[in-house]
């Protein structure tokens, strides 16, 4: 079995012409992750530039209203650029710089990862090109503008379904053509090895902080950690340091779209089956012939037909629980959290909030749950308003 | 001698690629027959995949059209079975790992062998992942074809050392590059392949090559893979593509043989 396996999942299913690029990346990463100087520089960037550590906030009103477990929100939405994506991007951009690359390329769905990559490129004086499905450039026009403002070039992708998976296709193709000066800053825990491991390591800061913060606040570990899962980077970041702590339930919330019994869904673990795509073996939404299925969710960031290989493995072993949350439930949670705690969550994160609203009342009052609030929801106001039948200008 | 070896036994081999089911499978069947009659030495049949990440726009678009027609691997096996009654030209299937894996790798390869397929190319399976597919290929009497590219520095010796059938030399993905640069890269790459294993034939693919350029590239190795030209002719002429494809194959055969 090849490198980068999580059970049967993972691996390096990519064209030969990309192999040297991933090998070069793996060697560089293995070197720099041991390098105290690299780690010190990254910590400084995360703290002074991105605003870490992010707060662990006790959601008192939500806890009282739901009448069950104590609910804490991990405030990744308060990071610079408004989401957890910056954790990974600063790590990869610093790594790319050390490798002598002068150019960053990235795919983006909702635009958060693209904005984060454009931000890191601006900070480090690197050229930046972001591939984004044309459909998503319309849904997330504000983020397109932000990326351009930050000096990046945004390439609308019209092939296939013109969404996230097609943006990944284009970015991989560009990396194959031009890996000499270019680093592909992949935005989630997916793709060929070493990406699922690199991105997980850079996002694991989330669970490291949660653990310290909850021990300080409550003197014990939480009973459950919840996060939304598209590719799964914020979830693996929130889960990672709890995997060994078997008393902590790890719950990933997938996007059911209009429902898991419809074709308009992106709930990969719930409705997909084992396959090979985008460099990895994992679960994918696909038809009977192995053709990758078009997926749908109100959330552009969860609108992806696959899931990271480590999540597939956590599912196989039963260590992780994966549930599906519909558009309707997510929009409800988006509105609920805004009214109840004065926090507008990203529609992606609202999927985790929605499941927390179901689960908390079933738990005891002395139990604790942590919900990873992966991003903030400014970018989603237009589409949620539209979902409710209201047209607003941006 | 197996059929793939035979393809390289009569001078420089011409290996055209076609996406099955574009514009429909009946046309593909006629195109393949015409190519065989016109002198194609080995035929690469593409099973369309929804996300052909390693391919350029022409093949992406052809794959989409074929999938919209609903073509499946089973339809393609049945077509190969029909073709086998008429022609002995070697046939390799070319697709992506998930098409084979989803069908059931063993079941897929047994069915391919039964239909008369000679080999398999998977664009997203490099050396590191090859065993999962090459072992069941061997068990079913098919050859698993490996690729090298100008980006394979340091890897050619091992890839070619383990290669079966023939070596697929991919040229630059960036087809806008200057011809002189492409030719120089191909020369260096094919030389490395031949040094690593003098016994395995190698053929080079370069989409935009004109016939005389294909002749120059083929002279460096054992054959030329026309990876986009036939796909583009089919895109342009649809169901009426057969005579145009036949003429293209004739011209290319002549160019590879060094004739005007």
């Amino acid at each position: 079995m090849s490198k980068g396996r999580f059970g049967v999942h993972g691996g390096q299913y990519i064209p030969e012409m990309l192999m040297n690029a991933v090998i070069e990346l793996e060697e560089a990463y293995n070197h720099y992750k041991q390098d105290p100087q690299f780690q010190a520089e990254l910590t400084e960037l995360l703290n002074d530039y991105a605003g870490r550590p992010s707060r662990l906030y006790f959601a008192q009103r939500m806890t009282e209203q739901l009448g069950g477990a104590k609910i804490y929100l991990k405030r990744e939405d308060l990071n610079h650029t408004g989401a957890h994506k910056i954790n990974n991007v600063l790590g990869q951009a610093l790594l790319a710089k050390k490798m002598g690359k002068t150019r960053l390329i990235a795919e983006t769905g909702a635009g958060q990862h693209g904005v984060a990559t454009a931000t890191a490129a601006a900070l480090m004086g690197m050229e930046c090109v972001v591939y984004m499905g044309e459909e998503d450039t319309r849904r997330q026009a504000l983020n397109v503008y932000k990326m351009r403002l930050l000096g990046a070039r945004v390439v609308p992708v019209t092939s296939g379904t013109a969404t996230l998976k097609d943006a990944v296709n284009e970015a991989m193709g560009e990396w194959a053509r031009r890996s000499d000066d270019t680093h592909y800053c992949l935005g989630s825990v997916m793709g060929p090895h070493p990406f699922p491991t690199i991105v997980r390591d850079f996002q694991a800061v989330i669970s490291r902080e949660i653990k310290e913060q909850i021990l300080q606040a409550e003197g014990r570990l939480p009973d459950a950690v919840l996060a939304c899962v598209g590719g799964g980077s914020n979830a693996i970041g929130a889960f990672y340091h709890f995997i060994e702590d078997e008393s902590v339930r790890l719950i990933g919330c997938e996007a059911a779209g209009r429902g898991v019994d419809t074709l308009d869904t992106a709930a990969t673990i719930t409705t997909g089956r084992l396959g090979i795509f985008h460099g990895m073996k994992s679960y994918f939404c696909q038809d009977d012939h192995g053709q990758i299925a078009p997926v749908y969710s109100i959330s552009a960031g969860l609108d992806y037909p696959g899931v990271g290989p480590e999540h597939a493995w956590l599912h196989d072993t039963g260590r992780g629980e994966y549930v599906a949350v519909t558009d309707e439930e997510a929009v409800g949670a988006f509105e609920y959290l805004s009214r109840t705690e004065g926090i507008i969550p990203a529609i992606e994160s609202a999927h985790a909030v929605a499941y927390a609203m179901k689960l908390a009342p079933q738990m005891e009052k002395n139990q604790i749950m942590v919900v990873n609030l992966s991003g903030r929801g400014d970018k989603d106001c237009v589409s949620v308003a539209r979902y409710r039948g209201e047209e607003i200008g941006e | 001698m197996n059929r793939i070896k035979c393809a390289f036994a009569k001078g420089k081999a011409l290996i055209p690629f076609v996406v099955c089911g574009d514009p429909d499978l009946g046309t593909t069947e006629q195109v393949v027959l015409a190519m065989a009659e016109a002198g194609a030495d080995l035929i690469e049949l593409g099973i369309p995949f929804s996300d052909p990440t390693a391919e350029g726009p022409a093949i992406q678009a052809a794959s989409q059209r074929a999938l919209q027609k609903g073509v499946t691997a089973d339809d393609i096996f049945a077509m190969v079975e029909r073709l086998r009654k008429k022609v002995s030209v070697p046939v390799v299937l070319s697709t992506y790992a998930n098409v084979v894996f989803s069908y059931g790798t063993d079941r897929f390869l047994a069915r391919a062998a039964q239909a008369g397929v000679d080999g398999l190319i998977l664009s997203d399976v490099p050396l590191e992942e090859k065993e999962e597919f090459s072992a069941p290929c061997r068990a079913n009497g098919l050859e698993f074809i490996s690729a090298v590219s100008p980006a394979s520095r340091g890897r050619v010796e091992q890839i070619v050392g383990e290669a079966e059938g023939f070596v697929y030399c991919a040229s630059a993905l960036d087809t806008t590059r200057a011809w002189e640069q492409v030719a120089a890269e191909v020369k260096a790459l094919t030389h490395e392949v031949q040094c690593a294993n003098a016994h395995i034939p190698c053929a080079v693919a370069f989409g935009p090559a004109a016939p005389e350029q294909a002749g120059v590239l083929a002279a460096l190795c054992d054959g030329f893979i026309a990876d986009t030209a036939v796909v583009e002719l089919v895109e342009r002429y649809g169901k009426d593509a057969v005579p145009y494809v036949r003429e293209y194959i004739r011209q290319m055969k002549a160019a590879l043989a060094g004739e005007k």
Side-chain angles (χ1 to χ4, degrees), chain A residues 2 5 12-13 281 291, chain B residues 50-51 129 132 151-152 155:
Chain A
S2 65
R5 292 285 174 168
Q12 295 179 302
Y13 299 88
K281 190 174 277 181
Q291 308 295 344
Chain B
S50 52
D51 295 81
E129 303 293 350
E132 180 178 349
S152 298
R155 297 170 52 80

Side-chain angles (χ1 to χ4, degrees), chain B residues 20-31:
Chain B
C20 294
D22 177 33
D24 56 59
L25 212 50
T27 304
T28 303
E29 193 169 338
Q30 294 310 310
V31 163

Side-chain angles (χ1 to χ4, degrees), chain B residues 16 235 244:
Chain B
E235 174 170 36
Y244 298 96

Side-chain angles (χ1 to χ4, degrees), chain A residues 269-289:
Chain A
I269 289 180
T270 311
T271 68
R273 61 190 173 90
L274 190 61
I276 297 168
F277 184 49
H278 277 165
M280 59 184 173
K281 190 174 277 181
S282 186
Y283 294 106
F284 296 96
C285 296
Q286 54 186 309
D287 72 9
D288 293 342
H289 306 288

